[in-house]
Amino acid sequence: MHMKRKPLSVLATMIDALRTLPGIGPKSAQRIAYHLMQNDKEGAQRLGQSVLHAIQVLKHCEQCNTFTEHSICELCSDKQRDSKLLCVVEMPTDQIMLEQTLAYCGLYFILMGRLSPLNGIGPCEIYFNRLIHRATDGIVSEVVLATNFTNEGEATAHYLGQILKAQGLTVTRLARGVPVGSELEYVDAGTIARAILDRRLV
Amino acid sequence: MHMKRKPLSVLATMIDALRTLPGIGPKSAQRIAYHLMQNDKEGAQRLGQSVLHAIQVLKHCEQCNTFTEHSICELCSDKQRDSKLLCVVEMPTDQIMLEQTLAYCGLYFILMGRLSPLNGIGPCEIYFNRLIHRATDGIVSEVVLATNFTNEGEATAHYLGQILKAQGLTVTRLARGVPVGSELEYVDAGTIARAILDRRLV
Ligand SMILES: [Zn+2]
Ligand SMILES: [Zn+2]
């Protein structure tokens, strides 16, 4: 006879789903679940619906690769932006930081990661072909590499820089105003603004 | 003319819902959202569905007050348990800890909180009337107070103890094997087992 594994209760199923989230351990998952059921059913409703809605309608912007419910995101649709400048960042959060500096007026490409061979993240996983296609549209003339100043971010910038330069593009990197070894997300806007102005040829 | 607030994007709506969860700040919310969209759409689907399912079908067990999709939860339906013993705990996680000791064979009542006047949590919010009703079913003869050994947990035990004793019930408290000032959830099973055996009259 087969041993059938008992199906999880409704509560246990929810706790299980919560604990697969990054940074959420089993105890936090339990606490979140009880909190939602006990004190915030409205928040639970909002969470459940917004997550299901997101996976249903979100896709990658055809131009910058960020997540959006449109074919082309709002920023890429903005005719005020300088379409000769293309800034490459790792994550949408990096883009948000750069926008907050008000020091950059060009467009973006979001890799949704960084090269990390040890973790099986190669050029394919960071949408390399889409970036090359985007950067060689005949309008972009300078690519600003704004990946993080970590080992992986630097390696990614170096790799992308080589290939983009071979396409005849001007390739720059944010100036080293950004502290070495740090992640853009955590750097203050002033420092990043300085680094944009001081960007250097690669 | 009215200024209309721009509606949030689908992604921003999800991030917003995530950041209302206890222990999740704005940065974590972003990170979780991007992770789900980029690397784990299946997990996102599971999360969304399980949360919506939970708020739809979960209710309080008519006997012990825990969350369950049934009228009476599995543990309360277990005829092997000693129905003369009723253990009062703050949260379902505390019940799980007690069960792991294998030292307790009675039934439970889960308060879903603790008295905390400063936070507006009075007897009503910890289902006081349901506990009294449950404890005075004519079968229960001893109530084991297993609220946390924190200030609020002790005050809750004291308050409940007074009233339950006035109903003619034997009221005990877990022995002080449990370190003072600590939360049950974080105490090792051996210590809790000892404390159950040493439970004392209140
Ligand atoms: Zn875009
Ligand atoms: Zn029950």
Side-chain angles (χ1 to χ4, degrees):
Chain A
M1 263 183 60
H2 287 286
M3 288 292 289
K4 255 196 197 159
R5 244 192 101 202
K6 222 173 91 183
L8 286 176
S9 75
V10 173
L11 186 69
T13 305
M14 172 171 58
I15 293 171
D16 236 44
L18 282 164
R19 64 184 279 187
T20 64
L21 299 179
I24 310 276
K27 294 256 179 192
S28 310
Q30 287 179 332
R31 224 167 266 131
I32 291 171
Y34 295 131
H35 168 79
L36 289 176
M37 288 306 111
Q38 183 66 17
N39 308 315
D40 195 12
K41 286 209 177 178
E42 235 176 70
Q45 179 94 24
R46 248 188 348 257
L47 175 67
Q49 285 176 342
S50 64
V51 169
L52 291 180
H53 191 214
I55 51 175
Q56 210 179 355
V57 309
L58 284 190
K59 50 198 170 186
H60 291 280
C61 170
E62 286 170 17
Q63 295 213 23
C64 74
N65 200 41
T66 200
F67 294 114
T68 174
E69 60 266 42
H70 310 293
S71 307
I72 294 179
C73 78
E74 215 177 318
L75 195 148
C76 288
S77 311
D78 185 349
K79 297 289 169 243
Q80 306 293 306
R81 312 287 305 205
D82 182 351
S83 55
K84 295 190 295 301
L85 272 177
L86 185 70
C87 180
V88 177
V89 295
E90 295 182 14
M91 295 299 293
T93 41
D94 301 323
Q95 180 188 22
I96 292 166
M97 280 303 298
L98 287 164
E99 283 298 292
Q100 281 173 7
T101 68
L102 306 175
Y104 180 73
C105 60
L107 296 168
Y108 290 92
F109 187 89
I110 292 100
L111 299 170
M112 295 293 172
R114 66 218 58 86
L115 286 180
S116 179
L118 294 177
N119 297 306
I121 299 174
C124 228
E125 283 70 29
I126 59 168
Y127 303 89
F128 179 68
N129 290 332
R130 294 187 66 177
L131 169 59
I132 300 301
H133 181 76
R134 173 73 187 85
T136 57
D137 67 347
I139 301 167
V140 171
S141 64
E142 177 183 344
V143 176
V144 184
L145 297 173
T147 52
N148 285 317
F149 283 73
T150 55
N151 286 342
E152 290 181 347
E154 292 277 22
T156 304
H158 180 78
Y159 177 83
L160 297 177
Q162 297 297 316
I163 290 156
L164 291 164
K165 275 193 287 185
Q167 302 285 334
L169 291 155
T170 301
V171 180
T172 55
R173 180 99 171 97
L174 291 195
R176 285 277 290 272
V178 179
V180 174
S182 64
E183 304 201 340
L184 282 187
E185 225 187 304
Y186 298 101
V187 177
D188 66 284
T191 306
I192 295 186
R194 184 76 254 161
I196 290 175
L197 297 173
D198 289 353
R199 66 186 185 271
R200 58 183 170 75
L201 285 170
V202 174
Chain B
M1 263 181 64
H2 287 287
M3 287 293 288
K4 253 194 195 162
R5 243 192 101 203
K6 225 173 87 183
L8 286 176
S9 73
V10 173
L11 186 70
T13 304
M14 173 171 59
I15 292 172
D16 235 45
L18 283 164
R19 63 185 278 188
T20 64
L21 299 179
I24 310 277
K27 295 256 179 192
S28 311
Q30 286 180 331
R31 223 166 265 130
I32 291 170
Y34 296 130
H35 168 79
L36 289 176
M37 288 307 110
Q38 184 65 16
N39 308 314
D40 195 11
K41 286 210 178 178
E42 235 177 71
Q45 178 93 24
R46 250 191 341 260
L47 176 66
Q49 285 177 341
S50 64
V51 169
L52 292 180
H53 191 212
I55 52 175
Q56 207 179 357
V57 308
L58 284 190
K59 49 198 170 186
H60 290 279
C61 169
E62 286 171 16
Q63 295 212 23
C64 73
N65 199 42
T66 200
F67 295 114
T68 174
E69 60 264 43
H70 311 292
S71 307
I72 294 178
C73 78
E74 216 177 319
L75 196 148
C76 287
S77 312
D78 185 349
K79 297 288 169 240
Q80 306 293 307
R81 312 285 306 206
D82 182 351
S83 53
K84 294 191 295 300
L85 272 178
L86 185 71
C87 180
V88 177
V89 294
E90 295 182 15
M91 295 299 293
T93 40
D94 300 323
Q95 179 187 24
I96 292 167
M97 280 304 298
L98 287 164
E99 282 299 289
Q100 282 173 7
T101 69
L102 305 176
Y104 180 72
C105 58
L107 296 168
Y108 290 91
F109 187 89
I110 292 100
L111 299 171
M112 295 293 172
R114 65 216 63 83
L115 286 180
S116 179
L118 293 179
N119 297 306
I121 299 174
C124 228
E125 282 71 30
I126 60 168
Y127 303 89
F128 179 69
N129 290 333
R130 294 186 66 176
L131 168 59
I132 300 301
H133 182 77
R134 173 72 187 85
T136 57
D137 67 346
I139 300 168
V140 170
S141 65
E142 178 183 343
V143 177
V144 184
L145 297 173
T147 52
N148 285 318
F149 283 74
T150 55
N151 286 342
E152 290 181 346
E154 292 276 22
T156 304
H158 180 77
Y159 176 84
L160 297 177
Q162 296 297 316
I163 289 155
L164 292 164
K165 275 193 287 184
Q167 302 284 336
L169 291 155
T170 301
V171 179
T172 55
R173 180 96 171 99
L174 292 196
R176 286 277 290 273
V178 180
V180 175
S182 64
E183 304 202 340
L184 282 187
E185 227 188 302
Y186 298 102
V187 177
D188 66 284
T191 305
I192 296 186
R194 184 76 255 159
I196 290 175
L197 297 172
D198 288 354
R199 67 186 184 271
R200 59 185 169 74
L201 284 169
V202 174

